Amino acid sequence: MKLFVIGNPIKHSMSPEIHNYWLQSYKIDANYQILEVEEQDLADLVERIRRKELVGVNVTLPYKTIIVKYLDKLDDTARMSGSVNTIYREHDKVIGSNTDGVGFLKTVKKDLDLNVNNKNFFIIGSGGASRGIIFSLCNTNIGKIIISNRNTKKARLLVEEMKEKQKFFPIFQQTWSDKIIPEEIDIVVNTTSFGLKENEELKVDFRNLNENTVIYDIIYNPLETKFLKKAKSAQLTTVNGISMLVHQAAESFRKWFNIEVSDLLIESSKTKLLKLLSK
């Protein structure tokens, strides 16, 4: 049995390290690999899942929204967020799901031991990962969400979509040129890929934030982006994307094999990744 993580570029992905470890641990005769694809390859890839040649795939940049049109059905997480990062087969249907939000919330609640009730979020970006996270937040008892994105139109459309689909109205847009994060924000989340390259830096202003504010970057390689370094120098709590990566992977694994990955394997996966990325 085969599984893939697809994207372009994709060589940086650590997902095979996670899933092959779990496949071995649960004695499942399957293999998980990286597959760089072009947009014209997506339809054929979905057909391979339908023909049972593949168990399923994970989807990353830039295909999380593009691949939706090739699927038979979307579950609630994908339908409401408009973004897919996991594809699996159920009976004769190929189904899209989004496990980003689950991964994010589990990190916040379990690893940071934070209660999201009435918390205010500042989300940078409005792409696939952002959509999954925002959808999950809209289903909890948070305070408000502010979105900022270089593409002003995409951010505005996402705000309007969440108001219409989720009936979540404390969601607002902040212009990209305004780099100062409001003082009432409890958690700042970078959902963009900006920071993957060494010379990239998100130029935001943390001066209004209090010492309890958490700065979260879903990027996991490098372990500490310039965004997180700047936050740390401002004496703020910082979190990288390792935990979210592992937790969202566990949700994908559950959909493919109907297995709840144990807490022990989840924690050991985080440790393994930290060691690999620290070299």
Side-chain angles (χ1 to χ4, degrees):
M1 293 191 292
K2 287 184 179 180
L3 302 106
F4 290 118
V5 54
I6 65 167
N8 194 345
I10 193 63
K11 290 178 182 177
H12 65 280
S13 176
M14 300 298 289
S15 293
E17 296 288 342
I18 301 169
H19 285 289
N20 285 322
Y21 174 46
W22 294 346
L23 289 168
Q24 184 180 19
S25 298
Y26 286 106
K27 296 180 171 55
I28 297 171
D29 185 17
N31 184 257
Y32 184 108
Q33 300 173 8
I34 285 170
L35 183 65
E36 185 169 293
V37 297
E38 301 296 334
E39 186 173 341
Q40 62 263 28
D41 301 324
L42 298 179
D44 180 63
L45 198 71
V46 170
E47 280 302 314
R48 291 180 66 186
I49 298 171
R50 187 174 286 112
R51 295 195 300 263
K52 301 183 181 181
E53 294 174 19
L54 300 175
V55 176
V57 299
N58 281 136
V59 185
T60 187
L61 293 172
Y63 301 126
K64 287 187 174 187
T65 55
I66 297 170
I67 203 163
V68 167
K69 62 186 175 185
Y70 299 107
L71 306 176
D72 298 324
K73 183 180 175 183
L74 303 178
D75 71 8
D76 285 345
T77 62
R79 182 171 54 83
M80 298 303 283
S81 67
S83 172
V84 167
N85 79 332
T86 301
I87 301 175
Y88 62 102
R89 189 182 62 252
E90 191 173 82
H91 305 302
D92 60 341
K93 302 290 185 184
V94 180
I95 301 172
S97 182
N98 190 306
T99 67
D100 286 328
V102 171
F104 175 77
L105 283 180
K106 284 190 175 178
T107 298
V108 171
K109 292 177 180 179
K110 288 189 173 184
D111 296 15
L112 297 176
D113 196 26
L114 285 178
N115 187 335
V116 298
N117 287 353
N118 300 313
K119 293 290 191 298
N120 298 320
F121 290 78
F122 189 94
I123 309 291
I124 302 170
S126 55
S130 172
R131 285 175 162 274
I133 289 169
I134 290 170
F135 164 73
S136 293
L137 290 175
C138 287
N139 286 306
T140 59
N141 189 31
I142 65 165
K144 67 180 177 182
I145 298 171
I146 298 175
I147 300 173
S148 184
N149 189 46
R150 282 171 290 181
N151 187 320
T152 304
K153 183 180 179 181
K154 280 184 70 175
R156 176 174 53 80
L157 290 174
L158 180 54
V159 168
E160 291 173 357
E161 193 176 327
M162 287 301 151
K163 286 180 178 179
E164 182 182 347
K165 285 183 176 180
Q166 292 294 98
K167 307 303 178 187
F168 185 85
F169 295 100
I171 182 167
F172 310 94
Q173 180 184 358
Q174 178 169 304
T175 59
W176 183 253
S177 59
D178 184 359
K179 302 298 186 184
I180 300 176
I181 299 175
E183 61 184 338
E184 69 270 20
I185 295 300
D186 299 293
I187 303 178
V188 180
V189 190
N190 173 36
T191 70
T192 74
S193 60
F194 207 76
L196 279 172
K197 297 177 183 176
E198 192 175 341
N199 61 339
E200 291 179 334
E201 180 181 0
L202 277 169
K203 295 183 178 178
V204 296
D205 195 326
F206 298 129
R207 78 177 80 171
N208 285 344
L209 302 178
N210 67 64
E211 61 184 8
N212 296 317
T213 306
V214 175
I215 311 299
Y216 195 127
D217 197 329
I218 70 168
I219 291 173
Y220 58 86
N221 188 11
L223 289 172
E224 190 173 61
T225 58
K226 286 187 176 181
F227 178 67
L228 292 185
K229 287 178 181 176
K230 182 178 179 180
K232 187 176 284 185
S233 68
Q235 309 301 312
L236 299 170
T237 300
T238 62
V239 184
N240 65 32
I242 287 284
S243 185
M244 176 176 161
L245 174 70
V246 175
H247 281 297
Q248 65 83 20
E251 182 66 10
S252 296
F253 199 86
R254 184 182 68 81
K255 290 183 180 299
W256 293 325
F257 301 109
N258 197 30
I259 292 173
E260 293 280 354
V261 180
S262 70
D263 288 343
L264 182 63
L265 281 178
I266 285 174
E267 291 307 314
S268 60
S269 295
K270 292 178 194 175
T271 302
K272 281 167 64 75
L273 290 183
L274 282 169
K275 286 180 179 178
L276 283 170
L277 292 170
S278 297
K279 290 180 179 179

